[in-house]
């Protein structure tokens, strides 16, 4: 048992909802695991778990302690990695990343796997969580997040992956044939627009610019709203309406003619893509190489040429 074993066991039990499952994961006996948690509770002076014959759940104190325990374990692991990290050290360990749903499913997971294969990792454990919901890198069990937009928190370190990416208005050829092309942003009010919702925020006010410095914003409506960017793209491909998507999300569809870009004289909203981390210490040379690899692939995708 090392110094972090009580914290690691606490985190495993909180995630598994079971002392026995956590003990098996860490190769401990159930009696030893129970005694370790009891000792941790005595040291902290609080009960961390409510125990019953049927379930195990965190107490209010346990919920408050959870993010701190994660930070302590992560800091220890990062410190050990920093001591042994060399410029040529491959990507290894437990890599937990939150990805946007659409580009994550289409491209990012594959790019990460291909990079890992070239690095020849011995013990890389990859955990990807695909969701458009903004991951809290302190509260949630993820180490990194790839997200569109500027970092919402000044404590986050952001590596640019596609700093010049923007949204593009697009629809399927079938929709255009049926409903026609809008000629100005204002005409979008007469079209079926596929809207995206993030948490409680509905992205229903679409903004555009012109090369001459003009600007326009229009409140759009439609019968379909989704909290998954991939579904919005699928609706557009099915001819169900007009989407306002990151160009990276629809680059392959535009190149193949499955979608067509609308309002070519208007420039879409900025949608920069970043690799985000809490603290610069997490951005090891291997992580920076991974981010640089993804940045190159994003540039190729935006330019209409895919790297394979």
């Amino acid at each position: 048992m090392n110094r972090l074993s009580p914290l690691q066991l606490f985190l495993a039990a909180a995630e598994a909802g079971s002392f026995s499952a956590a003990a098996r994961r860490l190769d401990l006996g159930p009696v030893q695991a129970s005694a370790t948690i009891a000792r941790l509770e005595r040291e902290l002076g609080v009960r961390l778990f409510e125990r019953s014959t049927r379930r195990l759940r965190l107490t209010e104190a346990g919920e408050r302690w959870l993010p701190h325990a994660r930070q302590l374990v992560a800091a220890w692991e990062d410190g050990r990695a920093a001591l042994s990290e060399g410029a040529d050290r491959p990507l290894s360990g437990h890599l937990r990343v939150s990805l946007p749903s659409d580009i994550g499913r289409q491209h990012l997971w594959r790019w990460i796997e291909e990079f890992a294969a070239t690095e020849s990792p011995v013990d890389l454990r990859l955990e990807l969580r695909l969701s458009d919901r903004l991951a809290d890198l302190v509260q949630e069990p993820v180490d990194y997040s790839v997200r569109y937009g500027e970092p919402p928190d000044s404590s986050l370190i952001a590596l640019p992956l596609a700093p010049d990416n923007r949204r593009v208005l697009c629809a399927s050829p079938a929709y255009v044939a049926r409903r026609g092309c809008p000629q100005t942003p204002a005409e979008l009010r007469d079209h079926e627009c596929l809207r995206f919702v993030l948490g409680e925020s509905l992205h229903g006010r679409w903004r555009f610019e012109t090369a001459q410095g003009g600007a326009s914003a229009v409140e759009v409506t439609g019968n379909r709203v989704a909290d998954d960017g991939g579904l919005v793209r699928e609706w557009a491909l099915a001819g169900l309406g007009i989407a306002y998507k990151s160009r990276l999300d629809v680059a392959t569809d535009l190149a193949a003619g499955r979608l067509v870009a609308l309002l070519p004289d208007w420039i879409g909203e900025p949608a920069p893509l970043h690799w985000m981390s809490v603290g610069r210490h997490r951005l090891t040379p291997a992580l920076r190489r991974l981010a640089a690899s993804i940045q190159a692939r994003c540039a190729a995708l935006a330019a209409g040429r895919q790297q394979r």
Side-chain angles (χ1 to χ4, degrees):
M1 295 287 285
N2 61 45
R3 295 183 181 183
L4 288 186
S5 290
L7 292 179
Q8 292 167 332
L9 180 60
F10 166 73
L11 294 177
E15 183 175 333
S18 164
F19 279 152
S20 58
R24 286 194 300 272
R25 182 183 303 179
L26 299 179
D27 197 25
L28 300 175
V31 175
Q32 185 182 14
S34 181
T36 299
I37 292 296
R39 185 166 61 252
L40 178 62
E41 290 178 323
R42 287 196 300 273
E43 290 178 0
L44 295 174
V46 295
R47 289 182 63 83
L48 298 173
F49 293 98
E50 293 289 353
R51 303 159 174 83
S52 71
T53 56
R54 300 185 61 181
R55 59 180 298 195
L56 181 75
R57 66 179 182 85
L58 289 170
T59 62
E60 182 180 347
E63 292 284 359
R64 293 199 304 271
W65 173 243
L66 183 61
H68 299 286
R70 285 178 177 149
Q71 285 183 299
L72 288 169
V73 172
W76 176 270
E77 292 176 347
D78 290 342
R80 291 185 61 183
L83 292 176
S84 60
E85 184 73 40
D88 298 326
R89 185 178 176 86
L91 197 64
S92 61
H94 194 179
L95 182 63
R96 303 179 298 182
V97 191
S98 172
L99 304 175
S101 67
D102 201 355
I103 193 174
R105 288 189 180 91
Q106 288 191 76
H107 305 291
L108 289 176
W109 75 267
R110 186 176 294 106
W111 294 347
I112 293 172
E113 291 285 0
E114 290 173 355
F115 176 85
T118 63
E119 289 260 327
S120 302
V122 176
D123 60 347
L124 178 65
R125 291 176 293 147
L126 186 59
E127 183 178 334
L128 300 181
R129 303 193 174 204
L130 276 71
S131 171
D132 288 315
R133 184 180 59 83
L134 298 178
D136 187 325
L137 296 182
V138 175
Q139 297 285 342
E140 298 182 31
V142 292
D143 304 309
Y144 308 97
S145 176
V146 175
R147 281 293 172 264
Y148 286 114
E150 297 299 331
D153 188 333
S154 61
S155 67
L156 296 178
I157 305 300
L159 297 180
L161 301 178
D164 299 324
N165 184 58
R166 286 181 174 268
R167 294 187 179 276
V168 59
L169 197 71
C170 55
S172 72
Y175 179 88
V176 172
R178 188 174 72 252
R179 297 287 302 273
C181 286
Q183 300 301 308
T184 66
E187 290 183 16
L188 289 172
R189 296 189 182 95
D190 300 323
H191 283 265
E192 181 68 25
C193 293
L194 306 169
R195 292 172 295 169
F196 175 73
V197 62
L198 182 62
E200 300 299 320
S201 179
L202 176 64
H203 187 228
R205 185 173 178 81
W206 295 357
R207 297 174 174 83
F208 304 88
E209 304 171 5
T210 66
Q212 294 74 33
S216 179
V218 58
E219 290 286 348
V220 299
T221 60
N223 294 325
R224 289 172 178 82
V225 176
D227 66 351
D228 183 286
L231 178 55
V232 171
R233 183 174 60 88
E234 291 295 334
W235 279 342
L237 289 168
L240 298 175
I242 295 176
Y244 195 33
K245 292 282 293 174
S246 157
R247 182 171 288 275
L248 291 174
D249 288 352
V250 295
T252 55
D253 300 313
L254 292 171
R258 293 185 293 268
L259 294 175
V260 293
L262 308 177
L263 297 183
D265 294 332
W266 291 84
I267 302 170
E269 297 176 28
L273 188 68
H274 293 92
W275 182 287
M276 299 184 188
S277 167
V278 177
R280 200 172 297 277
H281 62 284
R282 288 185 178 272
L283 298 176
T284 63
L287 253 299
R288 290 182 181 276
R289 291 196 300 274
L290 172 58
S293 173
I294 294 175
Q295 185 180 44
R297 289 176 177 267
C298 285
L301 182 63
R305 61 184 195 279
Q306 293 241 26
Q307 294 182 1
R308 300 299 301 172

